[in-house]
Amino acid sequence: MRFVDIIEKKRDGLALTQEEISFWIKGYVDGSIPDYQVSALCMAIYFQGMNDDEIAWLCDEMMHSGEIIDLSDIAGIKADKHSTGGVGDKTSLSLAPMVAACGLKVAKMSGRGLGHTGGTLDKVESIDGFQVALDEEQFKKQVNEIGLAIIGQTKQLVPADKKLYSLRDVTATVDSIPLIASSIMSKKLASGSDTILLDVKFGDGAFMKTPEDAEKLARTMIAIGKKLNKDTRAMISSMDQPLGNAIGNALEVEEAIATLKNEGPEDFKELCMNAGAIMLMQGKLAENEQEARAMLQKNIDNGAALGKLVEMVKAQGGNPEQVLHPELLPKAKMQIELASKKEGYVKRLKALELGTLAMQIGAGRAVKEDTINHAVGIVLHKKDGDHVEIGDSLATIHTDQPLSDEWIDHFYDCFEMSNEKVEKAPLIYKVIE
Protein backbone atom coordinates (compact mmCIF):
# COMPACT_ATOMS: atom_id res chain seq x y z
CA MET A 1 0.00 0.00 0.00
CA ARG A 2 1.39 3.42 -0.98
CA PHE A 3 0.33 6.51 0.96
CA VAL A 4 0.43 8.69 -2.14
CA ASP A 5 -2.36 6.52 -3.60
CA ILE A 6 -4.47 7.18 -0.49
CA ILE A 7 -3.94 10.95 -0.86
CA GLU A 8 -4.89 10.77 -4.54
CA LYS A 9 -8.00 8.72 -3.78
CA LYS A 10 -9.30 11.23 -1.24
CA ARG A 11 -8.28 14.16 -3.45
CA ASP A 12 -10.60 12.73 -6.09
CA GLY A 13 -13.51 12.49 -3.64
CA LEU A 14 -13.49 8.72 -3.10
CA ALA A 15 -14.08 6.98 0.23
CA LEU A 16 -11.14 5.37 2.02
CA THR A 17 -11.32 1.79 3.27
CA GLN A 18 -10.84 0.73 6.88
CA GLU A 19 -7.48 -0.80 5.91
CA GLU A 20 -6.28 2.44 4.29
CA ILE A 21 -7.23 4.48 7.37
CA SER A 22 -5.50 1.95 9.64
CA PHE A 23 -2.35 2.14 7.44
CA TRP A 24 -2.44 5.96 7.71
CA ILE A 25 -2.78 6.23 11.49
CA LYS A 26 -0.36 3.41 12.36
CA GLY A 27 2.22 4.76 9.92
CA TYR A 28 1.90 8.33 11.15
CA VAL A 29 2.28 7.34 14.81
CA ASP A 30 5.33 5.10 14.15
CA GLY A 31 6.95 7.78 11.96
CA SER A 32 6.97 5.86 8.67
CA ILE A 33 4.57 8.33 7.04
CA PRO A 34 5.94 11.92 7.04
CA ASP A 35 4.15 15.10 8.07
CA TYR A 36 4.06 16.51 4.55
CA GLN A 37 2.05 13.56 3.21
CA VAL A 38 -0.39 13.62 6.16
CA SER A 39 -0.78 17.39 5.61
CA ALA A 40 -1.81 16.69 2.01
CA LEU A 41 -4.36 14.08 3.13
CA CYS A 42 -5.82 16.41 5.79
CA MET A 43 -6.27 19.11 3.16
CA ALA A 44 -7.96 16.61 0.84
CA ILE A 45 -10.30 15.61 3.70
CA TYR A 46 -10.95 19.31 4.42
CA PHE A 47 -12.27 19.79 0.87
CA GLN A 48 -13.78 16.36 0.12
CA GLY A 49 -15.08 15.32 3.56
CA MET A 50 -15.58 11.77 4.83
CA ASN A 51 -18.62 9.53 5.14
CA ASP A 52 -19.89 8.14 8.46
CA ASP A 53 -17.99 4.84 8.07
CA GLU A 54 -14.70 6.62 7.31
CA ILE A 55 -15.11 8.94 10.32
CA ALA A 56 -15.94 6.03 12.66
CA TRP A 57 -12.94 4.01 11.40
CA LEU A 58 -10.66 7.04 11.79
CA CYS A 59 -11.90 7.62 15.34
CA ASP A 60 -11.47 3.92 16.21
CA GLU A 61 -7.90 3.82 14.85
CA MET A 62 -6.99 7.01 16.74
CA MET A 63 -8.58 5.68 19.92
CA HIS A 64 -6.53 2.48 19.68
CA SER A 65 -3.26 4.33 18.91
CA GLY A 66 -2.48 4.43 22.64
CA GLU A 67 -3.80 3.16 25.95
CA ILE A 68 -7.54 2.78 26.57
CA ILE A 69 -8.74 3.32 30.12
CA ASP A 70 -10.72 0.35 31.46
CA LEU A 71 -13.27 1.58 34.02
CA SER A 72 -15.14 -1.73 34.28
CA ASP A 73 -14.03 -2.27 37.88
CA ILE A 74 -15.79 0.95 38.93
CA ALA A 75 -19.28 0.09 40.18
CA GLY A 76 -22.25 1.69 38.41
CA ILE A 77 -22.61 3.67 35.20
CA LYS A 78 -19.68 5.97 34.40
CA ALA A 79 -20.53 9.27 32.71
CA ASP A 80 -18.42 11.77 30.81
CA LYS A 81 -19.20 15.18 29.37
CA HIS A 82 -17.37 17.28 26.81
CA SER A 83 -17.78 20.93 25.90
CA THR A 84 -16.43 22.37 22.67
CA GLY A 85 -15.44 25.36 24.80
CA GLY A 86 -16.13 29.05 25.07
CA VAL A 87 -15.78 32.12 27.24
CA GLY A 88 -16.64 31.59 30.91
CA ASP A 89 -17.27 27.86 30.46
CA LYS A 90 -16.74 26.46 33.93
CA THR A 91 -19.54 23.90 33.58
CA SER A 92 -17.67 20.78 34.75
CA LEU A 93 -16.88 22.37 38.12
CA SER A 94 -20.60 22.58 39.00
CA LEU A 95 -22.12 19.89 36.81
CA ALA A 96 -19.86 17.00 37.84
CA PRO A 97 -20.53 17.40 41.61
CA MET A 98 -24.27 17.89 40.93
CA VAL A 99 -24.68 14.59 39.07
CA ALA A 100 -22.23 12.74 41.34
CA ALA A 101 -24.37 13.75 44.33
CA CYS A 102 -27.29 12.04 42.56
CA GLY A 103 -25.34 8.77 42.35
CA LEU A 104 -23.79 8.95 38.88
CA LYS A 105 -20.08 8.13 38.60
CA VAL A 106 -18.14 10.92 36.84
CA ALA A 107 -14.68 9.87 35.62
CA LYS A 108 -13.51 12.97 33.78
CA MET A 109 -10.27 13.62 31.94
CA SER A 110 -9.84 17.26 30.97
CA GLY A 111 -7.38 19.50 29.17
CA ARG A 112 -5.66 22.84 29.53
CA GLY A 113 -6.69 26.00 27.74
CA LEU A 114 -4.94 27.82 24.92
CA GLY A 115 -6.52 31.18 24.18
CA HIS A 116 -8.86 33.40 26.11
CA THR A 117 -8.95 31.62 29.49
CA GLY A 118 -7.68 28.43 31.07
CA GLY A 119 -9.14 24.99 30.53
CA THR A 120 -10.82 22.97 33.28
CA LEU A 121 -7.44 21.86 34.68
CA ASP A 122 -6.22 25.45 34.92
CA LYS A 123 -9.40 26.45 36.73
CA VAL A 124 -9.21 23.69 39.38
CA GLU A 125 -5.53 24.48 39.93
CA SER A 126 -6.71 27.85 41.30
CA ILE A 127 -7.33 25.77 44.44
CA ASP A 128 -4.16 25.43 46.51
CA GLY A 129 -2.56 21.98 46.22
CA PHE A 130 -5.10 20.49 43.78
CA GLN A 131 -3.45 17.58 41.92
CA VAL A 132 -4.59 16.79 38.38
CA ALA A 133 -1.92 14.12 37.72
CA LEU A 134 -3.41 10.94 39.19
CA ASP A 135 -2.37 7.57 37.80
CA GLU A 136 -5.03 5.20 36.47
CA GLU A 137 -5.36 3.20 39.69
CA GLN A 138 -5.68 6.34 41.86
CA PHE A 139 -8.23 7.72 39.38
CA LYS A 140 -10.41 4.60 39.47
CA LYS A 141 -10.11 4.23 43.26
CA GLN A 142 -11.28 7.82 43.77
CA VAL A 143 -14.24 7.49 41.40
CA ASN A 144 -15.24 4.23 43.12
CA GLU A 145 -15.05 5.80 46.58
CA ILE A 146 -16.55 9.28 46.08
CA GLY A 147 -18.07 9.06 42.60
CA LEU A 148 -16.05 11.87 41.09
CA ALA A 149 -12.59 12.81 39.75
CA ILE A 150 -11.30 15.43 37.31
CA ILE A 151 -7.77 14.73 36.09
CA GLY A 152 -5.45 15.52 33.19
CA GLN A 153 -5.23 13.25 30.18
CA THR A 154 -2.32 10.82 30.28
CA LYS A 155 0.42 11.14 27.65
CA GLN A 156 -0.35 7.60 26.48
CA LEU A 157 -3.98 8.46 25.64
CA VAL A 158 -4.62 8.83 21.88
CA PRO A 159 -1.08 9.83 20.72
CA ALA A 160 -2.37 9.92 17.12
CA ASP A 161 -4.64 12.83 18.02
CA LYS A 162 -1.79 14.81 19.59
CA LYS A 163 0.31 14.45 16.43
CA LEU A 164 -2.60 15.13 14.08
CA TYR A 165 -3.88 18.15 16.00
CA SER A 166 -0.47 19.82 16.01
CA LEU A 167 -0.24 19.30 12.26
CA ARG A 168 -3.78 20.53 11.56
CA ASP A 169 -3.10 23.63 13.64
CA VAL A 170 -0.32 24.76 11.29
CA THR A 171 -1.89 23.61 8.00
CA ALA A 172 -5.26 25.44 8.18
CA THR A 173 -7.21 22.17 8.51
CA VAL A 174 -8.45 22.50 12.09
CA ASP A 175 -12.04 23.34 11.15
CA SER A 176 -12.86 20.13 9.26
CA ILE A 177 -15.87 18.45 10.84
CA PRO A 178 -14.65 14.84 10.21
CA LEU A 179 -11.28 15.70 11.78
CA ILE A 180 -12.80 17.64 14.71
CA ALA A 181 -15.34 14.89 15.44
CA SER A 182 -12.82 12.05 15.34
CA SER A 183 -10.39 14.06 17.50
CA ILE A 184 -12.94 14.75 20.24
CA MET A 185 -14.56 11.33 20.21
CA SER A 186 -11.30 9.35 20.13
CA LYS A 187 -10.31 10.97 23.45
CA LYS A 188 -13.76 10.53 25.00
CA LEU A 189 -14.02 6.87 23.92
CA ALA A 190 -10.48 6.07 25.09
CA SER A 191 -11.34 7.52 28.51
CA GLY A 192 -13.62 4.55 29.16
CA SER A 193 -16.95 6.02 30.30
CA ASP A 194 -20.29 4.35 29.49
CA THR A 195 -22.11 7.53 28.45
CA ILE A 196 -20.97 10.76 26.79
CA LEU A 197 -22.77 14.10 26.77
CA LEU A 198 -21.50 16.64 24.25
CA ASP A 199 -22.13 20.36 24.81
CA VAL A 200 -21.58 21.73 21.31
CA LYS A 201 -21.48 25.50 21.33
CA PHE A 202 -22.08 28.04 18.59
CA GLY A 203 -21.77 31.80 18.28
CA ASP A 204 -19.26 34.60 18.67
CA GLY A 205 -17.25 32.96 21.46
CA ALA A 206 -17.37 29.42 20.05
CA PHE A 207 -15.49 27.44 17.44
CA MET A 208 -18.67 26.78 15.42
CA LYS A 209 -20.27 30.09 14.46
CA THR A 210 -23.82 28.97 13.56
CA PRO A 211 -26.32 26.58 15.21
CA GLU A 212 -26.49 24.67 11.92
CA ASP A 213 -22.72 24.01 11.93
CA ALA A 214 -22.84 23.05 15.61
CA GLU A 215 -25.66 20.61 14.92
CA LYS A 216 -23.76 19.09 12.00
CA LEU A 217 -20.73 18.51 14.26
CA ALA A 218 -22.94 17.12 17.04
CA ARG A 219 -24.70 14.66 14.73
CA THR A 220 -21.34 13.51 13.33
CA MET A 221 -20.05 12.77 16.85
CA ILE A 222 -23.27 11.03 17.86
CA ALA A 223 -23.00 8.83 14.75
CA ILE A 224 -19.46 7.84 15.81
CA GLY A 225 -20.71 7.00 19.31
CA LYS A 226 -23.54 4.85 17.95
CA LYS A 227 -21.26 2.98 15.53
CA LEU A 228 -18.94 2.23 18.44
CA ASN A 229 -21.83 1.26 20.78
CA LYS A 230 -21.58 4.19 23.18
CA ASP A 231 -24.61 6.16 24.47
CA THR A 232 -23.77 9.60 23.06
CA ARG A 233 -26.08 12.61 23.16
CA ALA A 234 -25.58 16.31 22.46
CA MET A 235 -26.83 19.65 23.64
CA ILE A 236 -26.47 22.60 21.25
CA SER A 237 -25.95 25.80 23.27
CA SER A 238 -25.24 29.44 22.52
CA MET A 239 -21.90 31.13 23.15
CA ASP A 240 -22.89 34.51 21.67
CA GLN A 241 -22.11 35.96 25.09
CA PRO A 242 -19.98 34.62 27.96
CA LEU A 243 -21.51 31.82 30.05
CA GLY A 244 -22.30 33.14 33.51
CA ASN A 245 -20.64 36.36 34.65
CA ALA A 246 -17.06 35.37 35.48
CA ILE A 247 -14.21 35.12 32.94
CA GLY A 248 -10.96 33.97 34.56
CA ASN A 249 -9.84 30.96 36.54
CA ALA A 250 -10.33 31.55 40.29
CA LEU A 251 -13.28 33.84 39.49
CA GLU A 252 -14.94 31.01 37.58
CA VAL A 253 -14.26 28.56 40.42
CA GLU A 254 -15.95 31.01 42.77
CA GLU A 255 -18.95 31.25 40.43
CA ALA A 256 -19.17 27.45 40.15
CA ILE A 257 -19.18 27.20 43.97
CA ALA A 258 -21.91 29.87 44.18
CA THR A 259 -24.00 27.86 41.70
CA LEU A 260 -23.74 24.79 43.95
CA LYS A 261 -25.15 27.00 46.73
CA ASN A 262 -28.08 28.13 44.51
CA GLU A 263 -26.50 31.59 44.24
CA GLY A 264 -24.96 31.51 40.76
CA PRO A 265 -26.01 33.27 37.53
CA GLU A 266 -29.29 32.03 36.09
CA ASP A 267 -27.94 31.20 32.61
CA PHE A 268 -25.08 29.11 33.97
CA LYS A 269 -27.33 27.21 36.38
CA GLU A 270 -29.82 26.53 33.58
CA LEU A 271 -27.09 25.03 31.38
CA CYS A 272 -25.94 22.81 34.27
CA MET A 273 -29.51 21.69 35.01
CA ASN A 274 -30.13 20.83 31.33
CA ALA A 275 -26.87 18.92 31.03
CA GLY A 276 -27.32 17.21 34.39
CA ALA A 277 -30.83 16.04 33.49
CA ILE A 278 -29.58 14.45 30.26
CA MET A 279 -26.70 12.74 32.08
CA LEU A 280 -29.00 11.30 34.77
CA MET A 281 -31.34 9.93 32.10
CA GLN A 282 -28.35 8.45 30.22
CA GLY A 283 -27.27 6.83 33.51
CA LYS A 284 -30.75 5.35 34.06
CA LEU A 285 -31.07 7.24 37.35
CA ALA A 286 -34.09 9.25 36.18
CA GLU A 287 -36.87 8.34 33.76
CA ASN A 288 -37.56 11.86 32.48
CA GLU A 289 -36.29 15.43 32.59
CA GLN A 290 -38.70 16.53 35.32
CA GLU A 291 -37.58 13.76 37.68
CA ALA A 292 -33.91 14.43 36.89
CA ARG A 293 -34.20 18.17 37.52
CA ALA A 294 -35.92 17.51 40.86
CA MET A 295 -33.03 15.22 41.89
CA LEU A 296 -30.45 17.84 40.94
CA GLN A 297 -32.27 20.64 42.75
CA LYS A 298 -32.70 18.51 45.87
CA ASN A 299 -28.95 17.84 46.03
CA ILE A 300 -28.18 21.53 45.59
CA ASP A 301 -30.68 22.50 48.30
CA ASN A 302 -29.46 19.94 50.84
CA GLY A 303 -25.77 20.78 50.28
CA ALA A 304 -24.84 17.35 48.87
CA ALA A 305 -23.64 18.79 45.53
CA LEU A 306 -21.29 21.26 47.23
CA GLY A 307 -20.22 18.45 49.54
CA LYS A 308 -19.15 16.38 46.51
CA LEU A 309 -16.92 19.21 45.29
CA VAL A 310 -15.36 19.43 48.77
CA GLU A 311 -14.77 15.65 48.74
CA MET A 312 -13.10 15.77 45.32
CA VAL A 313 -10.86 18.71 46.25
CA LYS A 314 -9.82 16.99 49.48
CA ALA A 315 -9.18 13.65 47.71
CA GLN A 316 -6.96 15.34 45.11
CA GLY A 317 -4.83 17.21 47.64
CA GLY A 318 -6.55 20.59 47.37
CA ASN A 319 -7.54 22.93 50.18
CA PRO A 320 -11.26 22.29 50.92
CA GLU A 321 -11.43 25.52 52.95
CA GLN A 322 -11.24 27.46 49.69
CA VAL A 323 -14.43 25.73 48.54
CA LEU A 324 -16.20 26.35 51.85
CA HIS A 325 -14.84 29.91 51.99
CA PRO A 326 -14.26 31.09 48.37
CA GLU A 327 -12.90 34.43 49.61
CA LEU A 328 -9.69 32.42 50.30
CA LEU A 329 -9.18 31.76 46.55
CA PRO A 330 -6.42 33.78 44.79
CA LYS A 331 -7.23 37.50 44.62
CA ALA A 332 -5.95 40.09 42.17
CA LYS A 333 -4.19 43.20 43.49
CA MET A 334 -6.78 45.56 42.02
CA GLN A 335 -10.52 45.51 41.37
CA ILE A 336 -11.48 48.21 38.87
CA GLU A 337 -15.10 49.09 38.12
CA LEU A 338 -15.87 50.14 34.56
CA ALA A 339 -19.10 52.14 34.35
CA SER A 340 -21.35 52.60 31.34
CA LYS A 341 -21.01 55.80 29.31
CA LYS A 342 -24.34 55.14 27.57
CA GLU A 343 -27.97 54.45 28.43
CA GLY A 344 -29.96 51.72 26.71
CA TYR A 345 -30.24 47.95 26.38
CA VAL A 346 -27.33 45.59 25.80
CA LYS A 347 -27.97 44.35 22.26
CA ARG A 348 -24.79 42.35 21.85
CA LEU A 349 -21.88 41.33 24.04
CA LYS A 350 -18.77 40.29 22.10
CA ALA A 351 -17.81 37.07 23.87
CA LEU A 352 -14.59 36.29 22.02
CA GLU A 353 -13.23 39.82 22.43
CA LEU A 354 -14.01 39.77 26.17
CA GLY A 355 -12.16 36.46 26.41
CA THR A 356 -9.19 37.97 24.57
CA LEU A 357 -9.18 40.95 26.96
CA ALA A 358 -9.12 38.53 29.91
CA MET A 359 -6.18 36.71 28.31
CA GLN A 360 -4.31 40.01 27.87
CA ILE A 361 -4.37 40.65 31.63
CA GLY A 362 -3.11 37.10 32.35
CA ALA A 363 -6.19 34.84 32.56
CA GLY A 364 -5.22 32.77 29.50
CA ARG A 365 -2.34 31.72 27.27
CA ALA A 366 -1.40 33.24 23.92
CA VAL A 367 1.16 30.42 23.50
CA LYS A 368 1.53 27.09 25.35
CA GLU A 369 4.51 28.35 27.38
CA ASP A 370 2.60 31.26 28.95
CA THR A 371 1.93 31.14 32.69
CA ILE A 372 -1.65 31.72 33.79
CA ASN A 373 -2.45 34.16 36.60
CA HIS A 374 -5.30 32.38 38.38
CA ALA A 375 -6.48 35.52 40.19
CA VAL A 376 -7.21 37.86 37.29
CA GLY A 377 -10.20 38.22 34.99
CA ILE A 378 -13.50 39.96 34.38
CA VAL A 379 -16.82 39.74 36.24
CA LEU A 380 -19.69 41.09 34.16
CA HIS A 381 -22.61 42.94 35.74
CA LYS A 382 -24.62 43.51 32.55
CA LYS A 383 -25.39 41.06 29.74
CA ASP A 384 -27.59 40.73 26.65
CA GLY A 385 -31.04 42.22 27.13
CA ASP A 386 -30.18 44.09 30.36
CA HIS A 387 -31.10 47.77 30.71
CA VAL A 388 -28.18 50.07 31.50
CA GLU A 389 -28.13 53.61 32.90
CA ILE A 390 -25.15 55.95 32.50
CA GLY A 391 -22.85 55.25 35.44
CA ASP A 392 -24.03 51.65 35.99
CA SER A 393 -21.18 49.21 36.48
CA LEU A 394 -20.69 47.05 33.39
CA ALA A 395 -18.01 44.89 34.99
CA THR A 396 -15.38 44.57 37.68
CA ILE A 397 -11.90 43.98 36.28
CA HIS A 398 -9.65 41.91 38.55
CA THR A 399 -6.08 42.74 37.56
CA ASP A 400 -2.54 42.88 38.93
CA GLN A 401 -1.56 45.74 36.59
CA PRO A 402 -3.18 49.10 35.74
CA LEU A 403 -5.39 48.93 32.65
CA SER A 404 -4.20 50.77 29.54
CA ASP A 405 -6.47 53.27 27.81
CA GLU A 406 -6.42 50.99 24.75
CA TRP A 407 -7.59 48.01 26.84
CA ILE A 408 -10.43 50.06 28.37
CA ASP A 409 -11.53 51.37 24.96
CA HIS A 410 -11.54 47.81 23.63
CA PHE A 411 -13.64 46.71 26.61
CA TYR A 412 -16.31 49.36 25.92
CA ASP A 413 -16.37 48.27 22.27
CA CYS A 414 -17.52 44.82 23.45
CA PHE A 415 -20.90 46.27 24.48
CA GLU A 416 -23.24 47.03 21.58
CA MET A 417 -26.18 49.09 22.86
CA SER A 418 -29.71 49.73 21.57
CA ASN A 419 -32.42 52.25 22.46
CA GLU A 420 -35.03 49.54 21.87
CA LYS A 421 -35.77 46.77 24.37
CA VAL A 422 -33.83 43.61 23.52
CA GLU A 423 -35.16 40.10 24.11
CA LYS A 424 -32.74 37.66 25.73
CA ALA A 425 -31.81 34.91 23.27
CA PRO A 426 -32.39 31.28 24.38
CA LEU A 427 -29.33 29.52 25.77
CA ILE A 428 -30.18 25.95 24.70
CA TYR A 429 -30.87 25.64 20.98
CA LYS A 430 -31.56 21.91 20.74
CA VAL A 431 -30.95 18.52 22.39
CA ILE A 432 -30.03 15.62 20.07
CA GLU A 433 -30.14 11.95 21.00
Side-chain angles (χ1 to χ4, degrees):
M1 196 178 290
R2 294 194 318 155
F3 198 68
V4 67
D5 297 329
I6 295 173
I7 298 169
E8 190 175 289
K9 188 175 179 181
K10 180 49 68 178
R11 181 201 68 190
D12 295 341
L14 301 174
L16 304 181
T17 66
Q18 188 170 6
E19 291 72 27
E20 287 167 334
I21 290 171
S22 178
F23 178 74
W24 163 26
I25 296 302
K26 286 184 171 67
Y28 189 44
V29 171
D30 70 22
S32 60
I33 298 173
D35 274 354
Y36 60 83
Q37 284 193 305
V38 177
S39 298
L41 180 59
C42 287
M43 189 60 76
I45 290 168
Y46 179 89
F47 284 112
Q48 296 290 4
M50 298 179 105
N51 65 35
D52 285 351
D53 283 337
E54 289 177 285
I55 297 169
W57 292 330
L58 174 57
C59 180
D60 195 43
E61 284 296 330
M62 288 169 64
M63 177 177 75
H64 286 96
S65 67
E67 71 175 27
I68 293 175
I69 308 295
D70 180 6
L71 302 181
S72 59
D73 49 355
I74 297 175
I77 291 177
K78 282 73 69 178
D80 199 358
K81 163 257 169 196
H82 175 80
S83 168
T84 56
V87 182
D89 187 3
K90 73 286 293 178
T91 307
S92 294
L93 305 183
S94 295
L95 175 62
M98 284 165 62
V99 296
C102 296
L104 197 61
K105 297 289 175 67
V106 183
K108 180 152 180 57
M109 291 188 176
S110 293
R112 297 196 180 277
L114 181 61
H116 40 72
T117 51
T120 298
L121 299 185
D122 299 302
K123 297 182 208 296
V124 292
E125 285 180 341
S126 301
I127 300 168
D128 291 342
F130 193 95
Q131 298 298 313
V132 298
L134 303 187
D135 65 32
E136 188 175 334
E137 290 312 307
Q138 291 171 317
F139 178 53
K140 291 194 283 191
K141 182 173 184 287
Q142 182 174 317
V143 176
N144 242 334
E145 289 177 354
I146 69 170
L148 172 64
I150 296 175
I151 68 167
Q153 291 167 353
T154 69
K155 290 181 180 175
Q156 293 75 36
L157 201 76
V158 198
D161 180 62
K162 292 181 179 70
K163 286 195 75 173
L164 261 182
Y165 191 89
S166 297
L167 190 68
R168 286 164 54 213
D169 197 32
V170 295
T171 56
T173 54
V174 168
D175 48 345
S176 158
I177 282 181
L179 297 177
I180 298 168
S182 54
S183 170
I184 292 170
M185 289 299 290
S186 63
K187 294 190 287 272
K188 291 291 106 182
L189 291 162
S191 298
S193 290
D194 301 310
T195 69
I196 301 166
L197 172 63
L198 304 161
D199 180 8
V200 184
K201 298 188 180 296
F202 68 90
D204 177 64
F207 189 68
M208 312 307 287
K209 296 305 175 188
T210 67
E212 293 78 18
D213 284 347
E215 184 172 343
K216 186 177 178 185
L217 174 59
R219 291 192 183 279
T220 303
M221 291 192 286
I222 289 171
I224 293 171
K226 285 183 176 173
K227 277 189 176 291
L228 300 176
N229 301 311
K230 193 74 71 169
D231 183 332
T232 308
R233 305 183 196 184
M235 183 171 72
I236 313 296
S237 67
S238 173
M239 187 46 76
D240 266 332
Q241 64 173 336
L243 182 60
N245 299 329
I247 308 167
N249 299 278
L251 297 170
E252 291 186 43
V253 172
E254 190 169 351
E255 189 162 89
I257 293 166
T259 300
L260 293 174
K261 296 177 180 177
N262 235 351
E263 298 166 1
E266 199 52 47
D267 63 333
F268 178 58
K269 183 186 175 184
E270 181 56 25
L271 187 95
C272 291
M273 293 293 280
N274 263 279
I278 297 166
M279 290 174 76
L280 292 179
M281 289 187 286
Q282 284 180 292
K284 308 287 191 291
L285 294 178
E287 289 188 10
N288 54 54
E289 184 180 356
Q290 186 178 5
E291 182 185 344
R293 280 176 166 266
M295 289 171 67
L296 292 164
Q297 190 61 55
K298 178 184 174 184
N299 282 290
I300 291 172
D301 292 342
N302 66 19
L306 181 65
K308 276 293 167 197
L309 181 60
V310 171
E311 281 186 78
M312 181 184 78
V313 167
K314 200 170 181 180
Q316 291 182 232
N319 180 4
E321 287 301 306
Q322 289 179 303
V323 178
L324 297 168
H325 304 283
E327 65 275 11
L328 299 176
L329 286 164
K331 296 292 179 201
K333 293 174 184 174
M334 290 177 269
Q335 286 83 46
I336 300 170
E337 297 286 328
L338 292 181
S340 180
K341 299 174 181 179
K342 298 177 182 176
E343 182 181 348
Y345 294 88
V346 181
K347 183 179 180 181
R348 181 170 172 242
L349 201 52
K350 298 176 186 176
L352 185 58
E353 291 187 30
L354 284 165
T356 301
L357 287 170
M359 180 188 73
Q360 289 171 359
I361 58 173
R365 296 182 183 88
V367 295
K368 283 191 293 186
E369 294 72 27
D370 284 351
T371 301
I372 278 182
N373 183 338
H374 291 101
V376 302
I378 300 168
V379 178
L380 297 166
H381 303 309
K382 298 292 182 183
K383 294 182 69 178
D384 287 9
D386 290 346
H387 184 259
V388 180
E389 301 275 352
I390 293 172
D392 284 353
S393 177
L394 295 176
T396 304
I397 315 302
H398 296 249
T399 177
D400 281 353
Q401 304 292 333
L403 302 173
S404 69
D405 291 342
E406 183 184 4
W407 194 99
I408 293 170
D409 288 343
H410 192 174
F411 170 83
Y412 281 116
D413 287 343
C414 293
F415 286 77
E416 191 177 313
M417 308 294 286
S418 169
N419 293 326
E420 305 296 322
K421 190 170 183 180
V422 177
E423 294 297 321
K424 289 181 183 285
L427 180 64
I428 311 296
Y429 175 73
K430 188 178 282 189
V431 173
I432 306 171
E433 297 183 6

